[in-house]
């Protein structure tokens, strides 16, 4: 069983929008801080956004602040990332990650997370 499965990626024009989803299973989702991390072609991992276990606190990288919105639905065991005003530099594989119980990580390192998804491709191009 794969603990985190992303979906919702695709090809979109600059200025467009997408909503990414991350379905979780096999762990107590509602107690975990969650994050989105991306990897652009030929570059390293970049932390994008995080949300704490209760959903009361959200955090964003400067590069996406004001354009992306992270949220969670604990009833559905699902994490979301709403992407707005997309730019070509947002092109990347987007991964969701779960830190640990009651802990939120603002990190791009896979070593800081207990669970890591397989990724979904977002391509922003005209």
């Amino acid at each position: 069983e794969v603990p985190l499965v992303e979906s919702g990626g695709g090809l979109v024009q600059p200025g467009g929008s997408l909503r990414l989803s991350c379905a979780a299973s096999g762990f107590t989702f509602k107690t975990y801080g969650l994050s989105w991390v991306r990897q652009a072609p030929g570059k390293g991992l970049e932390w994008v956004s995080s949300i704490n276990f209760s959903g009361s606190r959200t955090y964003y990288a400067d590069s996406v602040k004001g354009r992306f919105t992270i949220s969670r639905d604990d009833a559905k065991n699902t994490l979301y990332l709403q992407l707005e005003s997309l730019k070509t530099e947002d092109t990347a594989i987007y991964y969701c990650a779960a830190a640990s119980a009651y802990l939120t990580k603002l990190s791009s390192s896979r070593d800081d997370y207990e669970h890591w998804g397989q990724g979904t491709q977002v391509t922003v191009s005209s």
Side-chain angles (χ1 to χ4, degrees), residues 5 30-31 33 53 58 75 78 84 88 90 101 121 123:
V5 179
K30 65 181 180 180
T31 68
F53 74 95
T58 57
T78 302
E84 305 278 356
T88 56
D90 293 318
Q121 176 72 48
T123 302

Side-chain angles (χ1 to χ4, degrees), residues 39 45 95 107-118:
Q39 186 167 26
L45 293 168
Y95 300 95
S107 170
S108 62
S109 172
R110 295 183 72 143
D111 291 341
D112 286 334
Y113 297 96
E114 284 191 15
H115 304 294
W116 188 274
Q118 86 290 348

Side-chain angles (χ1 to χ4, degrees), residues 5-88:
V5 179
E6 300 93 335
S7 61
L11 173 63
V12 61
Q13 292 186 341
S17 302
L18 280 175
R19 189 175 82 155
L20 307 183
S21 300
C22 174
S25 61
F27 64 97
T28 310
F29 179 82
K30 65 181 180 180
T31 68
Y32 276 62
L34 305 166
S35 300
W36 288 97
V37 178
R38 68 186 180 185
Q39 186 167 26
K43 296 187 177 181
L45 293 168
E46 177 191 16
W47 171 76
V48 174
S49 181
S50 296
I51 187 167
N52 73 339
F53 74 95
S54 68
S56 62
R57 295 190 177 183
T58 57
Y59 309 87
Y60 298 94
D62 288 343
S63 59
V64 306
K65 196 172 295 182
R67 300 189 297 120
F68 291 7
T69 303
I70 191 171
S71 63
R72 63 191 297 161
D73 186 337
D74 290 345
K76 296 182 178 180
N77 278 7
T78 302
L79 173 70
Y80 301 100
L81 187 68
Q82 180 71 38
L83 289 65
E84 305 278 356
S85 303
L86 282 161
K87 306 175 182 179
T88 56

